[in-house]
């Protein structure tokens, strides 16, 4: 492909060489440059690296074009074209889109942002649209799904080059729609530039991802989320969220709303909890833009919001009400209030809740079902803020009837040190707890000691199928552990 064609939608300056040259490959990882002579190399900056530092090295390896945002000394004598742009990450998104032939134009692109609910809503939308005959790809926290291929995710939203590569693969596989999670970090780093979302979705917003390598403060986090609504044709937002007006500041899209308030265009009312042996759910009525009854097999108000969001999206695809109802009733998401059926005497759930905010939301929701006991098993990740441990300990001690403190991903910390911090958080609540460091043993304990009417949640790991210890990931899937324990004879009578 001609370099000039790759740069067509960008403002740039050619400070050396010529734009009239062929580009055989686009690369942003310096380790791959040597394998692709004549390639275009994009010097992107990360939290702990700067591609400009490797520019001379990739030129020596045969790169034919560099895309830079600042000067690189020593290039004057080299046979290389140098393109200067204001922001190389922004430029990479447009170059990648052109390189893959603008595949987003061949798809209905749905982007979902927010603090909670993104993962669940993507799966709900996929399920409903597939019921209606659409062929739907998915990109998110758990995995990327292209046709029948499931690829474990490294990040919620991939780098722009990988994203465009996924779009191209979906179009090639005959898919007509993609539903994806859009993280605040992706919006901040321009990973989703180079195309327009057909639908941009906002679920909710609470303080999260505020750290040196993420967002400086809540204001920046909110602003980055709001960028989606300057890059979509139709914005569908949770009108009940207190931050929705700020999210929509500067928007350039048509706006629709959903929620439970009377001012929402699509509303849920008459919520009724469903609690049968081993099952939790909600029934409600949809009114406003549509009018029908819904039953979902997951608990709580936040599940209703996720379902409403999915309905609001699928309405634009002229999906029949029967397909919406069937899709919602049969949908399940790995690691998101996922039920694991063991006995009719108690209910066991697996959930990804791994911070105080998500754990409080989960336990508060489960409390509404009036279990005989609410039992919470969780740990905290190592090499993360110690405050999270104190906070999660306090939440579980306050809201659960019984807590089992165990290990999560200790990474490079000692598991017992992490458990000690969690214990400190629980101490002020007076909540009952035990400590079982080995997560497998902790799971065996909660099952063996379950009582009739208990609601038990294994929190923190969710969809993850590994445990990270000292820089290495070891296989550990809670579903597999439960199955093995039962096969070994650990059964609840």
């Amino acid at each position: 492909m001609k370099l000039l064609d790759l740069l067509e939608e960008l403002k740039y300056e050619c400070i050396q060489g010529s734009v009239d040259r062929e580009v055989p490959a686009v690369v942003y990882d310096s380790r791959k440059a040597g394998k692709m002579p004549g390639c275009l190399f994009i010097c992107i900056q990360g939290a702990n690296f700067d591609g400009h530092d490797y520019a001379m090295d990739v030129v020596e390896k045969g790169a034919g074009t560099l895309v830079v945002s600042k000067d690189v000394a020593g290039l004057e004598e080299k046979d290389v074209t140098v393109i200067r742009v204001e922001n190389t990450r922004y430029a990479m998104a447009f170059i990648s889109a052109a390189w893959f032939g603008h595949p987003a134009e061949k798809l209905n692109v749905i982007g979902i942002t927010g603090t909670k609910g993104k993962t669940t809503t993507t799966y709900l939308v996929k399920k409903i649209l597939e019921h209606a005959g659409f062929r739907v790809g998915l990109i998110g926290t758990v995995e990327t799904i292209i046709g029948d291929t499931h690829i474990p995710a490294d990040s919620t939203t991939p780098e722009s080059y990988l994203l465009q590569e996924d779009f191209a693969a979906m179009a090639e596989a005959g898919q007509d729609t993609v539903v994806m999670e859009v993280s605040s970090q992706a919006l901040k780093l321009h990973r989703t530039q180079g195309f327009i979302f057909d639908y941009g979705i906002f679920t909710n917003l609470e303080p999260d991802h505020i750290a040196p390598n993420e967002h400086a403060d809540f204001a920046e986090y909110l602003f980055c989320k709001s960028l989606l609504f300057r890059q979509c044709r139709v914005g569908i937002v949770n009108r009940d969220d207190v931050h929705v007006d700020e999210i929509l500041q500067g928007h350039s899209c048509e706006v629709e709303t959903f929620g439970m308030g009377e001012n929402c265009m699509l509303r849920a009312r008459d919520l009724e909890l469903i609690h049968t042996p081993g099952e939790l759910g909600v029934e409600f009525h949809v009114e406003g833009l549509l009018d029908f009854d819904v039953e979902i097999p997951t608990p709580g108000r936040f599940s209703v919001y996720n379902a409403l969001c999915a309905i609001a999206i699928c309405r634009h695809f002229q999906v029949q009400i029967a397909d919406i109802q069937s899709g919602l009733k049969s949908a399940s998401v790995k690691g998101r209030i996922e039920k694991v059926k063991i006995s009719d005497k108690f209910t066991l759930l697996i959930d990804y809740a791994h911070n105080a905010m998500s754990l409080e939301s989960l336990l508060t929701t489960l409390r509404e079902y009036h279990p005989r006991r609410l039992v919470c098993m969780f740990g905290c990740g190592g090499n993360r803020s110690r405050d999270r441990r104190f906070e999660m300990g306090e939440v579980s001690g306050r809201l659960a009837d019984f807590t089992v403190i165990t290990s999560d991903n200790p990474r490079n910390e000692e598991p017992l040190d992490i458990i000690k911090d969690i214990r400190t958080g629980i101490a002020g609540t007076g909540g009952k707890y035990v400590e079982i460091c080995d997560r497998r043993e902790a799971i065996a304990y909660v099952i063996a000691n379950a009582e009739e009417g208990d609601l038990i949640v294994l929190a923190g790991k969710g969809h993850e199928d590994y445990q990270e210890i000292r820089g290495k990931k070891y296989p550990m899937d809670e579903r597999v552990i439960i199955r093995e324990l039962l096969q070994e004879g650990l059964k609840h009578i």
Side-chain angles (χ1 to χ4, degrees), residues 387-414:
D387 288 343
R388 176 177 292 188
R389 305 166 194 177
F390 304 139
E391 292 166 357
M392 289 186 72
E394 189 277 332
V395 167
S396 189
R398 172 166 48 86
L399 293 176
D401 296 298
F402 189 71
T403 300
V404 178
I405 308 173
T406 188
S407 189
D408 193 287
N409 291 323
R411 299 187 175 89
N412 293 319
E413 288 194 64
E414 289 297 328

PDB file of all heavy atoms in Angstrom, residues 387-414:
ATOM      1  N   ASP A 387      -5.120   0.002  50.304  1.00  0.00           N
ATOM      2  CA  ASP A 387      -6.423   0.526  50.703  1.00  0.00           C
ATOM      3  C   ASP A 387      -7.550  -0.374  50.212  1.00  0.00           C
ATOM      4  O   ASP A 387      -8.575  -0.526  50.878  1.00  0.00           O
ATOM      5  CB  ASP A 387      -6.618   1.943  50.158  1.00  0.00           C
ATOM      6  CG  ASP A 387      -5.752   2.968  50.874  1.00  0.00           C
ATOM      7  OD1 ASP A 387      -5.255   2.648  51.972  1.00  0.00           O
ATOM      8  OD2 ASP A 387      -5.571   4.077  50.329  1.00  0.00           O
ATOM      9  N   ARG A 388      -7.362  -0.964  49.029  1.00  0.00           N
ATOM     10  CA  ARG A 388      -8.401  -1.837  48.475  1.00  0.00           C
ATOM     11  C   ARG A 388      -8.685  -2.996  49.428  1.00  0.00           C
ATOM     12  O   ARG A 388      -9.827  -3.418  49.584  1.00  0.00           O
ATOM     13  CB  ARG A 388      -7.958  -2.359  47.107  1.00  0.00           C
ATOM     14  CG  ARG A 388      -8.932  -3.342  46.497  1.00  0.00           C
ATOM     15  CD  ARG A 388      -8.513  -3.787  45.099  1.00  0.00           C
ATOM     16  NE  ARG A 388      -8.609  -2.698  44.141  1.00  0.00           N
ATOM     17  CZ  ARG A 388      -8.448  -2.857  42.828  1.00  0.00           C
ATOM     18  NH1 ARG A 388      -8.176  -4.056  42.336  1.00  0.00           N
ATOM     19  NH2 ARG A 388      -8.561  -1.839  42.009  1.00  0.00           N
ATOM     20  N   ARG A 389      -7.647  -3.497  50.092  1.00  0.00           N
ATOM     21  CA  ARG A 389      -7.811  -4.643  51.004  1.00  0.00           C
ATOM     22  C   ARG A 389      -8.607  -4.242  52.239  1.00  0.00           C
ATOM     23  O   ARG A 389      -9.508  -4.962  52.668  1.00  0.00           O
ATOM     24  CB  ARG A 389      -6.438  -5.174  51.409  1.00  0.00           C
ATOM     25  CG  ARG A 389      -5.572  -5.517  50.215  1.00  0.00           C
ATOM     26  CD  ARG A 389      -4.113  -5.704  50.618  1.00  0.00           C
ATOM     27  NE  ARG A 389      -3.276  -5.705  49.436  1.00  0.00           N
ATOM     28  CZ  ARG A 389      -1.951  -5.792  49.467  1.00  0.00           C
ATOM     29  NH1 ARG A 389      -1.324  -5.879  50.627  1.00  0.00           N
ATOM     30  NH2 ARG A 389      -1.266  -5.781  48.346  1.00  0.00           N
ATOM     31  N   PHE A 390      -8.240  -3.103  52.818  1.00  0.00           N
ATOM     32  CA  PHE A 390      -8.968  -2.620  53.991  1.00  0.00           C
ATOM     33  C   PHE A 390     -10.444  -2.389  53.639  1.00  0.00           C
ATOM     34  O   PHE A 390     -11.347  -2.764  54.386  1.00  0.00           O
ATOM     35  CB  PHE A 390      -8.360  -1.314  54.507  1.00  0.00           C
ATOM     36  CG  PHE A 390      -6.894  -1.402  54.833  1.00  0.00           C
ATOM     37  CD1 PHE A 390      -6.032  -0.366  54.486  1.00  0.00           C
ATOM     38  CD2 PHE A 390      -6.357  -2.514  55.477  1.00  0.00           C
ATOM     39  CE1 PHE A 390      -4.685  -0.431  54.789  1.00  0.00           C
ATOM     40  CE2 PHE A 390      -5.004  -2.591  55.785  1.00  0.00           C
ATOM     41  CZ  PHE A 390      -4.169  -1.546  55.444  1.00  0.00           C
ATOM     42  N   GLU A 391     -10.667  -1.763  52.465  1.00  0.00           N
ATOM     43  CA  GLU A 391     -12.024  -1.413  52.051  1.00  0.00           C
ATOM     44  C   GLU A 391     -12.862  -2.656  51.774  1.00  0.00           C
ATOM     45  O   GLU A 391     -14.022  -2.738  52.187  1.00  0.00           O
ATOM     46  CB  GLU A 391     -11.962  -0.522  50.803  1.00  0.00           C
ATOM     47  CG  GLU A 391     -11.364   0.860  51.068  1.00  0.00           C
ATOM     48  CD  GLU A 391     -10.991   1.592  49.791  1.00  0.00           C
ATOM     49  OE1 GLU A 391     -11.147   0.985  48.695  1.00  0.00           O
ATOM     50  OE2 GLU A 391     -10.523   2.739  49.871  1.00  0.00           O
ATOM     51  N   MET A 392     -12.284  -3.628  51.072  1.00  0.00           N
ATOM     52  CA  MET A 392     -13.044  -4.841  50.771  1.00  0.00           C
ATOM     53  C   MET A 392     -13.320  -5.636  52.041  1.00  0.00           C
ATOM     54  O   MET A 392     -14.393  -6.230  52.191  1.00  0.00           O
ATOM     55  CB  MET A 392     -12.295  -5.691  49.747  1.00  0.00           C
ATOM     56  CG  MET A 392     -12.284  -5.090  48.351  1.00  0.00           C
ATOM     57  SD  MET A 392     -11.535  -6.173  47.109  1.00  0.00           S
ATOM     58  CE  MET A 392     -12.786  -7.459  46.946  1.00  0.00           C
ATOM     59  N   GLY A 393     -12.371  -5.653  52.957  1.00  0.00           N
ATOM     60  CA  GLY A 393     -12.594  -6.315  54.240  1.00  0.00           C
ATOM     61  C   GLY A 393     -13.742  -5.675  54.994  1.00  0.00           C
ATOM     62  O   GLY A 393     -14.618  -6.366  55.533  1.00  0.00           O
ATOM     63  N   GLU A 394     -13.782  -4.347  54.990  1.00  0.00           N
ATOM     64  CA  GLU A 394     -14.847  -3.630  55.691  1.00  0.00           C
ATOM     65  C   GLU A 394     -16.201  -3.924  55.053  1.00  0.00           C
ATOM     66  O   GLU A 394     -17.202  -4.159  55.749  1.00  0.00           O
ATOM     67  CB  GLU A 394     -14.559  -2.125  55.637  1.00  0.00           C
ATOM     68  CG  GLU A 394     -15.475  -1.273  56.519  1.00  0.00           C
ATOM     69  CD  GLU A 394     -16.805  -0.947  55.846  1.00  0.00           C
ATOM     70  OE1 GLU A 394     -16.840  -0.889  54.595  1.00  0.00           O
ATOM     71  OE2 GLU A 394     -17.815  -0.762  56.565  1.00  0.00           O
ATOM     72  N   VAL A 395     -16.252  -3.937  53.724  1.00  0.00           N
ATOM     73  CA  VAL A 395     -17.506  -4.189  53.018  1.00  0.00           C
ATOM     74  C   VAL A 395     -18.033  -5.583  53.326  1.00  0.00           C
ATOM     75  O   VAL A 395     -19.210  -5.766  53.672  1.00  0.00           O
ATOM     76  CB  VAL A 395     -17.318  -4.011  51.494  1.00  0.00           C
ATOM     77  CG1 VAL A 395     -18.512  -4.575  50.738  1.00  0.00           C
ATOM     78  CG2 VAL A 395     -17.114  -2.540  51.157  1.00  0.00           C
ATOM     79  N   SER A 396     -17.176  -6.591  53.220  1.00  0.00           N
ATOM     80  CA  SER A 396     -17.626  -7.956  53.469  1.00  0.00           C
ATOM     81  C   SER A 396     -17.995  -8.164  54.934  1.00  0.00           C
ATOM     82  O   SER A 396     -18.988  -8.816  55.250  1.00  0.00           O
ATOM     83  CB  SER A 396     -16.553  -8.971  53.057  1.00  0.00           C
ATOM     84  OG  SER A 396     -17.050 -10.280  53.099  1.00  0.00           O
ATOM     85  N   GLY A 397     -17.210  -7.591  55.834  1.00  0.00           N
ATOM     86  CA  GLY A 397     -17.519  -7.713  57.253  1.00  0.00           C
ATOM     87  C   GLY A 397     -18.850  -7.092  57.610  1.00  0.00           C
ATOM     88  O   GLY A 397     -19.581  -7.584  58.480  1.00  0.00           O
ATOM     89  N   ARG A 398     -19.192  -6.028  56.923  1.00  0.00           N
ATOM     90  CA  ARG A 398     -20.431  -5.302  57.208  1.00  0.00           C
ATOM     91  C   ARG A 398     -21.652  -5.938  56.539  1.00  0.00           C
ATOM     92  O   ARG A 398     -22.740  -5.970  57.126  1.00  0.00           O
ATOM     93  CB  ARG A 398     -20.276  -3.843  56.750  1.00  0.00           C
ATOM     94  CG  ARG A 398     -21.520  -2.997  56.797  1.00  0.00           C
ATOM     95  CD  ARG A 398     -21.193  -1.506  56.657  1.00  0.00           C
ATOM     96  NE  ARG A 398     -20.296  -1.235  55.565  1.00  0.00           N
ATOM     97  CZ  ARG A 398     -20.676  -1.034  54.288  1.00  0.00           C
ATOM     98  NH1 ARG A 398     -21.963  -1.099  53.977  1.00  0.00           N
ATOM     99  NH2 ARG A 398     -19.798  -0.766  53.353  1.00  0.00           N
ATOM    100  N   LEU A 399     -21.492  -6.462  55.335  1.00  0.00           N
ATOM    101  CA  LEU A 399     -22.642  -6.909  54.558  1.00  0.00           C
ATOM    102  C   LEU A 399     -22.844  -8.426  54.532  1.00  0.00           C
ATOM    103  O   LEU A 399     -23.967  -8.890  54.327  1.00  0.00           O
ATOM    104  CB  LEU A 399     -22.535  -6.389  53.114  1.00  0.00           C
ATOM    105  CG  LEU A 399     -22.645  -4.875  52.944  1.00  0.00           C
ATOM    106  CD1 LEU A 399     -22.421  -4.486  51.487  1.00  0.00           C
ATOM    107  CD2 LEU A 399     -24.003  -4.369  53.417  1.00  0.00           C
ATOM    108  N   ALA A 400     -21.762  -9.183  54.686  1.00  0.00           N
ATOM    109  CA  ALA A 400     -21.895 -10.644  54.672  1.00  0.00           C
ATOM    110  C   ALA A 400     -22.101 -11.158  56.090  1.00  0.00           C
ATOM    111  O   ALA A 400     -21.625 -10.563  57.061  1.00  0.00           O
ATOM    112  CB  ALA A 400     -20.660 -11.281  54.054  1.00  0.00           C
ATOM    113  N   ASP A 401     -22.801 -12.282  56.209  1.00  0.00           N
ATOM    114  CA  ASP A 401     -22.950 -12.915  57.521  1.00  0.00           C
ATOM    115  C   ASP A 401     -21.688 -13.668  57.908  1.00  0.00           C
ATOM    116  O   ASP A 401     -21.401 -13.834  59.091  1.00  0.00           O
ATOM    117  CB  ASP A 401     -24.134 -13.891  57.488  1.00  0.00           C
ATOM    118  CG  ASP A 401     -25.448 -13.180  57.257  1.00  0.00           C
ATOM    119  OD1 ASP A 401     -25.820 -12.345  58.099  1.00  0.00           O
ATOM    120  OD2 ASP A 401     -26.088 -13.441  56.224  1.00  0.00           O
ATOM    121  N   PHE A 402     -20.946 -14.103  56.887  1.00  0.00           N
ATOM    122  CA  PHE A 402     -19.726 -14.860  57.154  1.00  0.00           C
ATOM    123  C   PHE A 402     -18.773 -14.664  55.983  1.00  0.00           C
ATOM    124  O   PHE A 402     -19.175 -14.714  54.822  1.00  0.00           O
ATOM    125  CB  PHE A 402     -20.051 -16.350  57.327  1.00  0.00           C
ATOM    126  CG  PHE A 402     -18.891 -17.175  57.811  1.00  0.00           C
ATOM    127  CD1 PHE A 402     -18.430 -17.057  59.112  1.00  0.00           C
ATOM    128  CD2 PHE A 402     -18.254 -18.061  56.955  1.00  0.00           C
ATOM    129  CE1 PHE A 402     -17.358 -17.820  59.560  1.00  0.00           C
ATOM    130  CE2 PHE A 402     -17.178 -18.826  57.384  1.00  0.00           C
ATOM    131  CZ  PHE A 402     -16.733 -18.706  58.702  1.00  0.00           C
ATOM    132  N   THR A 403     -17.512 -14.406  56.306  1.00  0.00           N
ATOM    133  CA  THR A 403     -16.496 -14.162  55.281  1.00  0.00           C
ATOM    134  C   THR A 403     -15.401 -15.214  55.367  1.00  0.00           C
ATOM    135  O   THR A 403     -14.943 -15.555  56.464  1.00  0.00           O
ATOM    136  CB  THR A 403     -15.862 -12.766  55.454  1.00  0.00           C
ATOM    137  OG1 THR A 403     -16.876 -11.757  55.337  1.00  0.00           O
ATOM    138  CG2 THR A 403     -14.779 -12.514  54.412  1.00  0.00           C
ATOM    139  N   VAL A 404     -14.979 -15.702  54.220  1.00  0.00           N
ATOM    140  CA  VAL A 404     -13.808 -16.573  54.137  1.00  0.00           C
ATOM    141  C   VAL A 404     -12.732 -15.782  53.393  1.00  0.00           C
ATOM    142  O   VAL A 404     -12.855 -15.508  52.196  1.00  0.00           O
ATOM    143  CB  VAL A 404     -14.124 -17.885  53.402  1.00  0.00           C
ATOM    144  CG1 VAL A 404     -12.867 -18.748  53.304  1.00  0.00           C
ATOM    145  CG2 VAL A 404     -15.236 -18.646  54.112  1.00  0.00           C
ATOM    146  N   ILE A 405     -11.688 -15.405  54.125  1.00  0.00           N
ATOM    147  CA  ILE A 405     -10.590 -14.646  53.517  1.00  0.00           C
ATOM    148  C   ILE A 405      -9.600 -15.640  52.918  1.00  0.00           C
ATOM    149  O   ILE A 405      -9.137 -16.560  53.591  1.00  0.00           O
ATOM    150  CB  ILE A 405      -9.858 -13.775  54.557  1.00  0.00           C
ATOM    151  CG1 ILE A 405     -10.838 -12.913  55.348  1.00  0.00           C
ATOM    152  CG2 ILE A 405      -8.828 -12.884  53.867  1.00  0.00           C
ATOM    153  CD1 ILE A 405     -10.196 -12.163  56.507  1.00  0.00           C
ATOM    154  N   THR A 406      -9.270 -15.431  51.646  1.00  0.00           N
ATOM    155  CA  THR A 406      -8.365 -16.360  50.978  1.00  0.00           C
ATOM    156  C   THR A 406      -7.405 -15.588  50.075  1.00  0.00           C
ATOM    157  O   THR A 406      -7.270 -14.369  50.191  1.00  0.00           O
ATOM    158  CB  THR A 406      -9.171 -17.416  50.193  1.00  0.00           C
ATOM    159  OG1 THR A 406      -8.290 -18.411  49.696  1.00  0.00           O
ATOM    160  CG2 THR A 406      -9.956 -16.788  49.057  1.00  0.00           C
ATOM    161  N   SER A 407      -6.771 -16.278  49.146  1.00  0.00           N
ATOM    162  CA  SER A 407      -5.803 -15.669  48.246  1.00  0.00           C
ATOM    163  C   SER A 407      -6.434 -15.399  46.889  1.00  0.00           C
ATOM    164  O   SER A 407      -7.327 -16.123  46.443  1.00  0.00           O
ATOM    165  CB  SER A 407      -4.595 -16.584  48.081  1.00  0.00           C
ATOM    166  OG  SER A 407      -3.560 -15.923  47.390  1.00  0.00           O
ATOM    167  N   ASP A 408      -5.982 -14.356  46.233  1.00  0.00           N
ATOM    168  CA  ASP A 408      -6.441 -14.015  44.890  1.00  0.00           C
ATOM    169  C   ASP A 408      -5.248 -14.172  43.941  1.00  0.00           C
ATOM    170  O   ASP A 408      -4.781 -15.278  43.723  1.00  0.00           O
ATOM    171  CB  ASP A 408      -6.994 -12.584  44.874  1.00  0.00           C
ATOM    172  CG  ASP A 408      -7.771 -12.260  43.617  1.00  0.00           C
ATOM    173  OD1 ASP A 408      -7.142 -12.089  42.564  1.00  0.00           O
ATOM    174  OD2 ASP A 408      -9.015 -12.168  43.671  1.00  0.00           O
ATOM    175  N   ASN A 409      -4.744 -13.085  43.388  1.00  0.00           N
ATOM    176  CA  ASN A 409      -3.494 -13.083  42.626  1.00  0.00           C
ATOM    177  C   ASN A 409      -2.444 -12.373  43.477  1.00  0.00           C
ATOM    178  O   ASN A 409      -2.315 -11.146  43.398  1.00  0.00           O
ATOM    179  CB  ASN A 409      -3.653 -12.339  41.294  1.00  0.00           C
ATOM    180  CG  ASN A 409      -4.536 -13.069  40.310  1.00  0.00           C
ATOM    181  OD1 ASN A 409      -4.507 -14.292  40.234  1.00  0.00           O
ATOM    182  ND2 ASN A 409      -5.324 -12.323  39.557  1.00  0.00           N
ATOM    183  N   PRO A 410      -1.686 -13.084  44.290  1.00  0.00           N
ATOM    184  CA  PRO A 410      -0.746 -12.409  45.186  1.00  0.00           C
ATOM    185  C   PRO A 410       0.402 -11.718  44.452  1.00  0.00           C
ATOM    186  O   PRO A 410       1.084 -10.872  45.023  1.00  0.00           O
ATOM    187  CB  PRO A 410      -0.234 -13.543  46.078  1.00  0.00           C
ATOM    188  CG  PRO A 410      -0.461 -14.796  45.294  1.00  0.00           C
ATOM    189  CD  PRO A 410      -1.716 -14.543  44.502  1.00  0.00           C
ATOM    190  N   ARG A 411       0.637 -12.119  43.198  1.00  0.00           N
ATOM    191  CA  ARG A 411       1.723 -11.571  42.397  1.00  0.00           C
ATOM    192  C   ARG A 411       3.038 -11.675  43.176  1.00  0.00           C
ATOM    193  O   ARG A 411       3.423 -12.769  43.549  1.00  0.00           O
ATOM    194  CB  ARG A 411       1.382 -10.149  41.948  1.00  0.00           C
ATOM    195  CG  ARG A 411       0.115 -10.106  41.090  1.00  0.00           C
ATOM    196  CD  ARG A 411      -0.165  -8.741  40.493  1.00  0.00           C
ATOM    197  NE  ARG A 411      -1.314  -8.785  39.601  1.00  0.00           N
ATOM    198  CZ  ARG A 411      -2.580  -8.595  39.965  1.00  0.00           C
ATOM    199  NH1 ARG A 411      -2.866  -8.309  41.240  1.00  0.00           N
ATOM    200  NH2 ARG A 411      -3.566  -8.695  39.103  1.00  0.00           N
ATOM    201  N   ASN A 412       3.687 -10.566  43.444  1.00  0.00           N
ATOM    202  CA  ASN A 412       4.996 -10.645  44.111  1.00  0.00           C
ATOM    203  C   ASN A 412       4.923 -10.406  45.614  1.00  0.00           C
ATOM    204  O   ASN A 412       5.955 -10.219  46.265  1.00  0.00           O
ATOM    205  CB  ASN A 412       5.974  -9.652  43.474  1.00  0.00           C
ATOM    206  CG  ASN A 412       6.317 -10.011  42.046  1.00  0.00           C
ATOM    207  OD1 ASN A 412       6.512 -11.187  41.735  1.00  0.00           O
ATOM    208  ND2 ASN A 412       6.368  -9.034  41.166  1.00  0.00           N
ATOM    209  N   GLU A 413       3.735 -10.409  46.169  1.00  0.00           N
ATOM    210  CA  GLU A 413       3.582 -10.229  47.613  1.00  0.00           C
ATOM    211  C   GLU A 413       3.313 -11.564  48.292  1.00  0.00           C
ATOM    212  O   GLU A 413       2.907 -12.544  47.658  1.00  0.00           O
ATOM    213  CB  GLU A 413       2.437  -9.265  47.912  1.00  0.00           C
ATOM    214  CG  GLU A 413       2.730  -7.830  47.582  1.00  0.00           C
ATOM    215  CD  GLU A 413       1.716  -6.890  48.215  1.00  0.00           C
ATOM    216  OE1 GLU A 413       1.662  -6.840  49.469  1.00  0.00           O
ATOM    217  OE2 GLU A 413       0.971  -6.231  47.470  1.00  0.00           O
ATOM    218  N   GLU A 414       3.510 -11.581  49.587  1.00  0.00           N
ATOM    219  CA  GLU A 414       3.197 -12.765  50.377  1.00  0.00           C
ATOM    220  C   GLU A 414       1.694 -12.815  50.631  1.00  0.00           C
ATOM    221  O   GLU A 414       1.118 -11.840  51.141  1.00  0.00           O
ATOM    222  CB  GLU A 414       3.941 -12.731  51.712  1.00  0.00           C
ATOM    223  CG  GLU A 414       5.437 -12.964  51.596  1.00  0.00           C
ATOM    224  CD  GLU A 414       5.766 -14.349  51.044  1.00  0.00           C
ATOM    225  OE1 GLU A 414       5.001 -15.305  51.311  1.00  0.00           O
ATOM    226  OE2 GLU A 414       6.769 -14.469  50.321  1.00  0.00           O
TER     227      GLU A 414
END
